[in-house]
Amino acid sequence: MQLPPDRFLPLRKQYLPLLDELQNLFQEMDRAYDAVATRYGFKCNGCKNNCCLTRFYHHTLLERLYLLEGVRTLSIDARMALGEQARTVNRRLARADREGRSLRIMCPLNEDGRCRLYAYRPMICRLHGIPHELHPPGGRIARNPGCDAFFEQCRNQGRTNYIPFDRTPFYRKMAILEKALRNQMRYTDKIRLTIAEMLESFTDTQYEIH
């Protein structure tokens, strides 16, 4: 479901404190990720299986509104150009879905291998790459071996022994903030959107973002 910016921007002053808390949480994630990646000797320098080509879905209103803060830093012309790129991505993916084809297409935020709104990127973009684990309530621990680029780099360096990286505390803190925001906004709808889908609504010409 699309969430037009004009529904939330009038309430921006109310939800900004929660976005500040999200920023702190993102910084905590970045520090933890960087510490483990450094121990592995892993550096994400882009690869043929670039994660920016993957269709990740994002599920929180928090991250949607935080990305909007990033869009607000762009000029109107840049925002409109980004919106057109997002529409093109969405049209191509929709066509591929109708035809039953798998399609990997670059995220519209990626420009010459760099994210144009890197500081505002969602959680999965921050944590993707290195091996990790999750501890669901009452369930078995889920483990992920990391991306192909990690495996290739660290195998060549002889650094494949698992270094514990538990995402669970970050997910829990995110869930607490998301619940607080949804209660504040009185918003109950589920969210399942790609970055391109978010950007298309954020950069629509009918919305003037001040």
Side-chain angles (χ1 to χ4, degrees), residues 151-186:
F151 182 75
E152 288 299 323
Q153 275 191 44
C154 294
R155 180 184 62 179
N156 292 338
Q157 298 174 41
R159 298 177 179 175
T160 56
N161 291 334
Y162 177 60
I163 298 172
F165 183 62
D166 183 5
R167 289 184 180 182
T168 313
F170 304 128
Y171 281 44
R172 286 174 178 161
K173 291 176 182 179
M174 176 74 80
I176 291 170
L177 291 177
E178 177 73 1
K179 182 178 180 180
L181 177 64
R182 284 173 171 266
N183 287 341
Q184 186 181 79
M185 297 292 103
R186 298 181 180 178

Side-chain angles (χ1 to χ4, degrees), residues 18 20 32 40 64 87 121 141 173 186 205:
L18 286 171
D20 288 340
Y40 279 118
R64 186 170 168 77
R87 280 185 282 276
R121 68 198 189 285
I141 297 175
K173 291 176 182 179
R186 298 181 180 178
T205 55

Side-chain angles (χ1 to χ4, degrees), residues 8 10 16 18 26-29 34 41 43 73-74 82 88 108 131 143 177 181 193 198-199:
F8 297 103
L16 273 180
L18 286 171
F26 278 159
Q27 291 172 350
E28 183 182 347
M29 289 180 193
D34 291 345
K43 293 183 179 179
T73 68
L74 302 175
L82 187 58
T88 298
R143 292 185 171 88
L177 291 177
L181 177 64
L193 295 170
M198 296 182 201
L199 291 173

Side-chain angles (χ1 to χ4, degrees), residues 17-143:
L18 286 171
L19 294 192
D20 288 340
E21 291 189 51
L22 177 61
Q23 182 181 37
N24 292 335
L25 176 57
F26 278 159
Q27 291 172 350
E28 183 182 347
M29 289 180 193
D30 293 345
R31 288 192 297 269
Y33 182 99
D34 291 345
V36 175
T38 297
R39 290 178 63 189
Y40 279 118
F42 174 65
K43 293 183 179 179
C44 180
N45 296 317
C47 62
K48 63 181 180 180
N49 291 318
N50 193 319
C51 57
C52 296
L53 290 165
T54 302
R55 194 187 331 188
F56 288 123
Y57 287 100
H58 309 276
H59 302 276
T60 69
L61 182 58
L62 272 169
E63 291 171 295
R64 186 170 168 77
L65 294 180
Y66 196 67
L67 187 63
L68 176 56
E69 291 298 305
V71 173
R72 285 166 51 85
T73 68
L74 302 175
S75 68
I76 292 177
D77 288 345
R79 195 171 77 234
M80 294 303 108
L82 187 58
E84 185 54 39
Q85 286 179 268
R87 280 185 282 276
T88 298
V89 168
N90 292 332
R91 285 195 298 266
R92 290 185 61 188
L93 286 171
R95 186 184 309 118
D97 288 345
R98 289 193 300 270
E99 296 172 354
R101 294 185 291 110
S102 176
L103 179 64
R104 285 171 62 81
I105 186 170
M106 189 62 73
C107 173
L109 286 179
N110 189 297
E111 183 176 48
D112 299 326
R114 300 291 180 181
C115 179
R116 281 181 275 187
L117 294 179
Y118 187 76
Y120 299 91
R121 68 198 189 285
M123 175 172 60
I124 191 60
C125 303
R126 296 170 186 272
L127 298 181
H128 184 74
I130 63 175
H132 64 270
E133 60 194 79
L134 284 171
H135 298 245
R140 297 178 61 182
I141 297 175
R143 292 185 171 88

Side-chain angles (χ1 to χ4, degrees), residues 11 30 108 206:
L11 303 174
D30 293 345
Q206 67 178 302

